[in-house]
Structure formats: structure tokens, C-alpha cells
Amino acid sequence: GDSVTQMEGPVTLSEEAFLTINCTYTATGYPSLFWYVQYPGEGLQLLLKATKADDKGSNKGFEATYRKETTSFHLEKGSVQVSDSAVYFCALIHRGNQFYFGTGTSLTVIP
Amino acid sequence: EAGVAQSPRYKIIEKRQSVAFWCNPISGHATLYWYQQILGQGPKLLIQFQNNGVVDDSQLPKDRFSAERLKGVDSTLKIQPAKLEDSAVYLCASSLGSGAKNIQYFGAGTRLSVL
């Protein structure tokens, strides 16, 4: 069945470091892919999405490119800030209406 | 605009007790979702409503969990009786419609601890 696998955390980076959080998926056909972010004490918020192969989603300095050949949707940011500390979830939706979420990756950015 | 409202934020109960959670979606959103998020895991869909009808409840443990959305707006999720393994955060989300083009907006969740 459909599933998402993302790198385990926690990830700790210094401010202004480069961030990569890996995400790969399993699905037949062409799912839509998402990154959600969950700040402490808050609900999940959509960070970015891509709905077809080679699409690049971007928001708040974060980017992810839908790679069909490697079934990946890795999240990147060139220079992280303390305010980026949160849990990041990769997710897909395919065919039906059900979202499949990864297990989440906790990011802590230290000054 | 107001976001998805959930209450209570926290609930502690003993096993075999009953508990109910409430969700008020964003005004005008036809689709409402309940997710269970166990610590260290991603959210898992329990049930999805389109207006007041159930679209998908395939992962809802129907022997103990129930949910309703009688007037197509607010929704309640009930667990009766609770088990230790029900300890989790219960997230409510809503969207204008269903499918990938409709962004889901999440509430802050209700954290349930079953002792």
C-alpha cells in the first residue's frame, strides 16, 4: 500500500546551517506530496506541496522537489533559523482522500 | 479567519472510562477529519466526513470509537471504553473539499492520557 518514509530525528543544527530532511514514498502512479510542520503546542500546518513529477514546492525558504525517478521529496533550506525548530512531516495523498504521513522529524536549531 | 477549534486540550482518564472530544472546523469547510497521532508516529486517519456523511472510517476501531457530525458542522469523537493504547493526540482537520487540491487545516489537538 501507499506509505511515506522519512529520516529519523532528532536533528540538531546551528543557526544558518543547511538543512536536509529526507523523504521517500511508495505508491503506484503519481501521488501528491506534502510537507507539514508542527510547532510546539500547535496543530500541523501545510509548509509546501507538489502535485506532479519535477514540481518544486517552496515556502518560507524551504524547498522540496518531486522526484519520480527516486520516489523522493526531500525538504531543504539553505540557512535555518531558531524559529524553524519544529517537527516536520512528509505526507502523500493518492487516489482516495486519505493522507499518509511519515513519522515526523524533530528539528532543533541552536543559536 | 478562525482556525479549527478543538477541546479539551488535555484529558487524563483511567482505562475503561469514556471520553469525548469536540471539534469545530473552519466555517464553510465541508470536509472534516479525525486523526490519531501516537507519540513518535505520524497522524493516522480515523474517520473522514463530507458534510454530515461518513466518507472513510476504515481505520476507526468501531468496537470502541464512534464519531458524528450531525449538522455537518461540529463533530465529536468518542472512545468507550478507553484502553491504555488509546493514549495519543487526537487531531481534527478540515478542508473546503476532499482530495489533494484541498488543503487540510489542523487544530492544535487533544492530548489523551489513559492510565
Side-chain angles (χ1 to χ4, degrees), chain B residues 11-21 64 79-87 111-115:
Chain B
K11 190 72 176 179
I12 301 174
I13 61 172
E14 295 185 349
K15 60 183 179 183
R16 292 188 290 274
Q17 286 187 321
S18 301
V19 65
F21 314 126
R64 298 184 299 107
I79 307 176
Q80 179 179 8
K83 293 185 175 181
L84 296 176
E85 58 261 36
D86 298 332
S87 294
R111 183 176 297 277
L112 173 67
S113 296
V114 182
L115 306 178

Side-chain angles (χ1 to χ4, degrees), chain A residues 28-108:
Chain A
T28 55
Y30 296 90
S32 293
L33 302 173
F34 304 80
W35 277 100
Y36 275 81
V37 58
Q38 187 173 31
Y39 298 103
E42 300 183 14
L44 279 74
Q45 303 173 25
L46 179 65
L47 182 60
L48 52 84
K49 68 176 184 178
T51 57
K52 61 182 187 294
D54 300 325
D55 267 3
K56 175 184 285 188
S58 61
N59 185 25
K60 300 181 181 180
F62 291 89
E63 293 183 340
T65 301
Y66 188 140
R67 302 287 189 196
K68 178 67 177 174
E69 63 277 11
T70 55
T71 62
S72 64
F73 193 54
H74 304 323
L75 182 68
E76 297 181 336
K77 187 175 185 181
S79 176
V80 294
Q81 305 301 313
V82 172
S83 57
D84 294 327
S85 297
V87 181
Y88 293 82
F89 292 91
C90 186
L92 70 80
I93 188 169
H94 188 220
R95 294 180 177 174
N97 301 310
Q98 184 170 150
F99 267 72
Y100 292 90
F101 285 89
T103 54
T105 301
S106 175
L107 169 67
T108 300

